[in-house]
Amino acid sequence: MLMQMLGDGGVAAPRLVDARLGPEALRTAFAQLTDDLVALTRAGLVHADLSPYNLLWWRDRVWIIDFPQAVDLVLNPHGFDLLHHDLVTVCTWFARRGVACDAEALFAALLAEAW
């Protein structure tokens, strides 16, 4: 995990919800987010408040921000439910913008990564 200012010239990078991305950039953002979620799941972490408001778009890359509420996937009694909720939230947002996203399939794939 890295803490730094994301943006140019003192202007913060836009939240994903505010970024004006075309179809290809949206697919790229979702693919990058999926890769990042695999890494977090392998590390045993759940963001627990993931949404397009906690994602930034900067230099053609999606960045996950705001981790204070992150929990341990296994040790937290709600870890799996929180992961599922995160996935439903982001998949709903991406699907509304035309990106193929199945929260249940992604949840199953991430659980396979956790073990």
Side-chain angles (χ1 to χ4, degrees):
M1 207 173 296
L2 175 68
M3 292 184 63
Q4 71 182 51
M5 164 69 174
L6 296 176
D8 292 309
V11 177
R15 296 176 303 173
L16 187 62
V17 73
D18 298 323
R20 299 190 184 269
L21 304 181
E24 185 60 34
L26 282 165
R27 285 189 294 275
T28 298
F30 181 69
Q32 292 171 353
L33 178 59
T34 300
D35 290 344
D36 290 347
L37 289 170
V38 167
L40 284 172
T41 303
R42 284 180 180 163
L45 295 174
V46 178
H47 187 280
D49 189 29
L50 193 61
S51 78
Y53 294 93
N54 286 330
L55 299 170
L56 301 181
W57 183 253
W58 185 58
R59 296 187 178 172
D60 298 323
R61 177 89 179 93
V62 70
W63 297 78
I64 303 173
I65 62 167
D66 292 340
F67 279 88
Q69 69 291 328
V71 299
D72 186 287
L73 176 63
V74 177
L75 295 180
N76 185 294
H78 304 290
F80 293 100
D81 292 332
L82 290 167
L83 175 61
H84 186 262
H85 183 267
D86 281 355
L87 300 177
V88 168
T89 300
V90 294
C91 279
T92 299
W93 188 86
F94 276 100
R96 286 183 180 154
R97 282 148 188 85
V99 177
C101 180
D102 181 341
E104 301 305 322
L106 183 55
F107 184 62
L110 290 177
L111 292 182
E113 291 291 336
W115 310 113

